[in-house]
Amino acid sequence: MTRNIIFALAAVLAGTVSAQETYENARLITQDLNGTARYVGMGGAMGALGADLSAISSNPAGIGLFRHSSAQVSFGFVTQPGVSDFADASKTNMSFDQAGFVFSHRSGKRSFVNVAFNYHKSTNFNHILAASGSLSGASQNKLSYLKHEAGLIDMDIRQGEVLGRSNLFNTVDYLYYNAMLTTFDVSGNPVYGFRDASGYAFRRGGNGYIGVYDLNISGNIDDRVYLGLTIGIHDVNYNSYSEYSETIVPTGAEAAPGVTVADSRIISGTGVDVKMGVIFRPLKNSPFRVGLSVATPIWYDLSTRNFTTIGNNTSSGLYGIGSIEDAYDFKLRTPWQFGLSVGTTVGRSFAIGAEYNFANYGKTDTRINDGGGYDWYYDDYYETSSSDRGMNNHTDFVLKGVSTFKIGAEYKPRHDVAIRLGYNYVSPMYNKNGFKDFSIDSPGSYYSSATDYTNWKATNRVTCGLGYTVKKFNIDLAYQYTITKGDFYPFTSYSVGSQQAEISNMCTPADVDNKRHQLLLTLGYTL
């Protein structure tokens, strides 16, 4: 047997037929609680209270409550307890979170027209995930083997390289069949097999962000009805590196056999959405306010590239090292989002707000770039896309409608000091019975370079903050603690029956969590 020979298949297909897989997409479509320290300190429950730059995204009408021009900038630290640094991912990171201004112009005795611009980091991808467990004879390579046994994929041998004739033959299958699962008999015919594993260890380090650039115009009618419109540009920058290792059950005189699959992935691109909102006071002489907001889907145009390798430290197969590189473009449309909020103030010393938001993430639309052309009139190339129905049906099963409840309060013991508290509950986004379905005839299955998935549960956020004003300057500090627990699976359980016996490949979930501490500082100036 020839060992330690590097093989590689470069499938650089940017701009051709391609799409993305449900669990990968899910990382891109949710948002953190982030913005100014006042907004975070009150749990983001400012959809009806307004008069904060971060309301530009949650309820654009909130910008209409400004009566003076203002500018603010926010930054701080984010740390993840209970983990160790991995690859390029660090457990503690400095973060630039927000910068913006509002220009307020009086248009009548009790009316204003305001224009605002704000940048904020809507999603922070800095996260380290670690999991391990027993496999009791199951293995990742057995899953690749069973897909062929079940007739889901057919193989073709070309110049000694095993290729799949199906969208279901993914990156991981390619690596295993070329490095470990294939041997040849004396007649030169391929013989396929698999190896059992006793346990696994997994780590993934992510970093990057989604930055949102919002432009807003807003105003009010008789200081009782407030209207706002925001156009947002979303900038995606996601990087991750993962290592999945299995301890293979030894045969014969094998010493400590094992397999490691390492995957690097980069996703980048832009998206655009429109957000609209209204705030009104039902009672003319009461400060009680009601807010309504709606956000269109974000239309993402994205590119992704992965580089995946295998290290085969067993006596099985032909090679010890292998790699594959893929790149492609795809489009993604997030669901509509809706918000309802209430809020009131008591004099100038106390404010309280509550907010409910809903988005049905099961309706996320994964789209295939399937064509395009050249527009001679505008001298420009255009690209067409269509919905990936197979993957979208899977998304509708795995992802659910998510309800977010926010409540927050601010108390001023004196005119220049503010104390804030907030809380969020975000219902589970994932179906607890969801799984990564490798049987979907989709480019998203073909380009999948990892078999793991996590069904995350509900998210809880607790926040607090302080504010201090000195003449026209303000300084605000906020702290946020976030926790989400989940069930991690190294691969999808699967079994195939035959006339001889059933081959089973079942794994149990491991408990994981995502804890995060954030310390946020905002500096502001009001004219």
Side-chain angles (χ1 to χ4, degrees):
M1 179 183 297
T2 303
R3 306 294 294 166
N4 298 325
I5 298 177
I6 298 178
F7 62 89
L9 173 64
V12 183
L13 301 174
T16 64
V17 175
S18 53
Q20 181 81 320
E21 187 270 333
T22 296
Y23 282 89
E24 288 287 348
N25 285 339
R27 296 191 180 102
L28 307 176
I29 60 179
T30 58
Q31 299 182 9
D32 300 331
L33 173 65
N34 202 17
T36 66
R38 180 171 181 251
Y39 180 82
V40 172
M42 294 182 67
M46 303 190 68
L49 294 173
D52 189 279
L53 270 170
S54 292
I56 197 170
S57 284
S58 59
N59 187 348
I63 302 299
L65 278 85
F66 275 93
R67 294 295 172 264
H68 300 277
S69 298
S70 178
Q72 292 180 320
V73 61
S74 305
F75 52 91
F77 292 90
V78 177
T79 186
Q80 182 184 350
V83 299
S84 301
D85 294 351
F86 174 65
D88 291 333
S90 301
K91 60 182 294 183
T92 300
N93 298 273
M94 187 172 182
S95 179
F96 179 74
D97 296 288
Q98 178 272 332
F101 67 88
V102 57
F103 173 74
S104 183
H105 173 70
R106 182 184 293 273
S107 60
K109 184 177 180 180
R110 303 183 63 185
S111 300
F112 287 78
V113 175
N114 298 336
V115 177
F117 170 82
N118 190 60
Y119 163 83
H120 83 283
K121 184 179 292 183
S122 68
T123 305
N124 188 332
F125 291 124
N126 289 308
H127 179 231
I128 299 169
L129 178 64
S132 60
S134 173
L135 288 175
S136 302
S139 66
Q140 188 184 62
N141 74 86
K142 189 190 293 188
L143 178 61
S144 293
Y145 172 83
L146 291 180
K147 289 168 69 174
H148 176 252
E149 286 294 297
L152 297 178
I153 53 177
D154 294 321
M155 260 80 76
D156 185 17
I157 306 295
R158 297 180 184 177
Q159 298 179 345
E161 184 177 55
V162 183
L163 304 176
R165 296 193 293 265
S166 167
N167 268 334
L168 310 184
F169 186 83
N170 62 28
T171 297
V172 177
D173 299 329
Y174 171 83
L175 292 172
Y176 273 121
Y177 272 102
N178 281 279
M180 183 177 178
L181 302 185
T182 307
T183 57
F184 294 89
D185 61 20
V186 293
S187 300
N189 299 313
V191 178
Y192 304 117
F194 64 86
R195 295 292 299 273
D196 293 333
S198 58
Y200 73 90
F202 175 87
R203 287 193 297 175
R204 173 179 286 121
N207 56 70
Y209 62 92
I210 298 179
V212 183
Y213 302 84
D214 284 323
L215 181 63
N216 171 278
I217 184 169
S218 58
N220 70 84
I221 302 173
D222 198 28
D223 205 22
R224 188 173 175 184
V225 178
Y226 309 86
L227 304 169
L229 174 72
T230 296
I231 298 175
I233 303 296
H234 301 248
D235 177 30
V236 179
N237 300 271
Y238 172 75
N239 298 270
S240 74
Y241 174 77
S242 67
E243 288 183 356
Y244 175 78
S245 299
E246 284 184 344
T247 301
I248 300 297
V249 177
T251 61
E254 270 187 317
V259 178
T260 299
V261 176
D263 181 60
S264 298
R265 181 169 292 274
I266 297 173
I267 302 175
S268 60
T270 57
V272 61
D273 72 340
V274 177
K275 297 169 278 278
M276 297 159 283
V278 59
I279 299 173
F280 61 93
R281 293 191 291 120
L283 303 177
K284 184 175 182 180
N285 296 319
S286 171
F288 177 75
R289 298 190 281 270
V290 177
L292 300 171
S293 62
V294 60
T296 69
I298 304 171
W299 286 79
Y300 278 122
D301 193 353
L302 301 165
S303 298
T304 183
R305 177 183 295 273
N306 70 281
F307 181 73
T308 312
T309 64
I310 188 172
N312 173 24
N313 185 32
T314 73
S315 60
S316 300
L318 300 176
Y319 303 117
I321 302 172
S323 64
I324 181 172
E325 183 176 4
D326 290 321
Y328 57 92
D329 299 337
F330 66 102
K331 289 181 172 59
L332 186 68
R333 186 193 303 175
T334 68
W336 288 79
Q337 297 194 42
F338 304 91
L340 170 65
S341 54
V342 293
T344 191
T345 59
V346 179
R348 295 187 177 184
S349 62
F350 185 74
I352 185 170
E355 188 171 335
Y356 170 76
N357 295 284
F358 178 80
N360 187 355
Y361 290 105
K363 300 305 178 184
T364 301
D365 185 14
T366 302
R367 303 184 66 82
I368 298 173
N369 291 343
D370 54 11
Y374 179 71
D375 189 320
W376 292 96
Y377 185 82
Y378 289 101
D379 189 27
D380 191 22
Y381 288 94
Y382 62 91
E383 193 172 67
T384 60
S385 66
S386 60
S387 294
D388 185 344
R389 294 187 178 182
M391 192 59 68
N392 287 341
N393 288 336
H394 178 249
T395 299
D396 198 25
F397 168 71
V398 172
L399 304 184
K400 304 191 297 183
V402 173
S403 295
T404 302
F405 300 90
K406 304 177 181 178
I407 187 168
E410 178 182 68
Y411 171 63
K412 290 186 175 182
R414 39 187 274 184
H415 75 280
D416 56 350
V417 176
I419 302 171
R420 304 170 183 125
L421 294 172
Y423 171 75
N424 285 185
Y425 172 80
V426 184
S427 67
M429 176 179 174
Y430 295 85
N431 182 341
K432 65 179 181 180
N433 297 317
F435 61 94
K436 182 174 282 190
D437 191 347
F438 52 79
S439 66
I440 302 171
D441 187 8
S442 162
S445 299
Y446 178 78
Y447 285 104
S448 181
S449 59
T451 61
D452 69 278
Y453 62 96
T454 304
N455 291 329
W456 295 102
K457 302 176 184 179
T459 297
N460 289 274
R461 303 183 181 115
V462 179
T463 68
C464 61
L466 296 171
Y468 183 64
T469 302
V470 182
K471 295 183 179 179
K472 294 184 178 183
F473 294 91
N474 67 277
I475 178 170
D476 297 280
L477 188 67
Y479 165 76
Q480 177 181 187
Y481 174 68
T482 304
I483 180 170
T484 309
K485 297 183 178 181
D487 295 326
F488 172 87
Y489 295 83
F491 48 81
T492 302
S493 294
Y494 189 58
S495 61
V496 174
S498 64
Q499 293 181 350
Q500 291 76 26
E502 181 181 74
I503 303 176
S504 180
N505 196 50
M506 313 299 288
C507 66
T508 56
D511 294 332
V512 294
D513 61 49
N514 181 11
K515 299 176 182 177
R516 180 180 291 181
H517 298 285
Q518 180 186 21
L519 190 64
L520 185 65
L521 176 69
T522 297
L523 303 176
Y525 179 79
T526 299
L527 294 177

